[in-house]
Amino acid sequence: MILPIFAFGQPVLRKVAEDIDQDYNDLEGLIENMYETMRNARGVGLAAPQIGKSIRLFVVDTQQMDKPDEPAKGIKKAFINARLLDESGDPWVYEEGCLSIPDIHADIERKSTIRIKYLDQDWKEHDETYEGVNARVIQHEYDHIEGVLFIDHMRPLKRRMIKGKLEKIKKGDIEVSSPMRFVKA
Ligand code: NI
C-alpha cells in the first residue's frame, strides 16, 4: 500500500523518534508499505517520520543504483532502533534530496564512513560499518529519526535562497506525482 508522504512543515518531521519493541503492530506490513511508498516516489530511502510515525525505523534501497557492469555495492535493508555509533573519514560532497521536500536538491558535506548499530526485521542486532553512497543514504535517513532534515546541513546563504520554496512546500503549493500530506495554511 502506498502511504502519503508527510511534507516539510509537518511537526512529526522535527521530533526525535522513539524505539519500538517486538509487539509493534504489523511491523512487517509497515516495512513492506514503506518500501512500496519509497519506490513509488523514486526514493532510495524512507524514514518512518516521513509517513507520520515517530518511530526509529527507516528503509534503504541503494541496490537500485547498482550498475549492471560493476560489482554490486547496494544494500536493501530495514533499520530498527538504530544508533549511529561513529562518523569518520574525509568529508565529501554529494547531492541530496528528500521525498518530504520535493524539488529541492543541494550539495551536502558529510563524513564518508559510519558505524551503526540496529536491529533487523528478525530482531537480530547488527553493528556495521558503511561508506560511500550507502553511508550517505543511511546518514540522511538516520537524521530523519533524530528530527533533522538535509536542509539543516545547507550553507546559510543557500538555505536563504530556498526559503520561499520551502514556504510553498509547507502550504502544499506545489505539484507532486505521488501522494503527500501537507500542513494546510
Ligand atoms: Ni529525506
Side-chain angles (χ1 to χ4, degrees), residues 12-106:
V12 67
L13 295 175
R14 289 308 195 177
K15 283 190 192 154
V16 177
E18 308 259 345
D19 281 338
I20 54 172
D21 59 34
Q22 296 200 32
D23 306 328
Y24 194 85
N25 185 41
D26 193 20
L27 184 61
E28 292 290 318
L30 175 63
I31 290 170
E32 211 33 67
N33 289 340
M34 284 175 64
Y35 276 125
E36 194 180 341
T37 301
M38 177 192 74
R39 276 193 302 266
N40 178 65
R42 297 171 193 282
V44 290
L46 184 72
Q50 294 182 275
I51 47 119
K53 294 187 187 299
S54 191
I55 58 172
R56 297 185 80 85
L57 165 67
F58 58 88
V59 296
V60 168
D61 181 3
T62 52
Q63 287 179 352
Q64 308 171 71
M65 299 160 92
D66 282 338
K67 301 197 175 72
D69 51 340
E70 287 173 16
K73 287 192 208 140
I75 55 164
K76 186 180 174 194
K77 282 181 190 195
F79 293 78
I80 299 166
N81 297 349
R83 293 288 184 282
L84 197 55
L85 300 175
D86 189 44
E87 290 181 288
S88 60
D90 291 334
W92 66 300
V93 169
Y94 187 77
E95 192 186 69
E96 296 186 31
C98 180
L99 297 180
S100 294
I101 315 174
D103 297 334
I104 293 181
H105 298 269

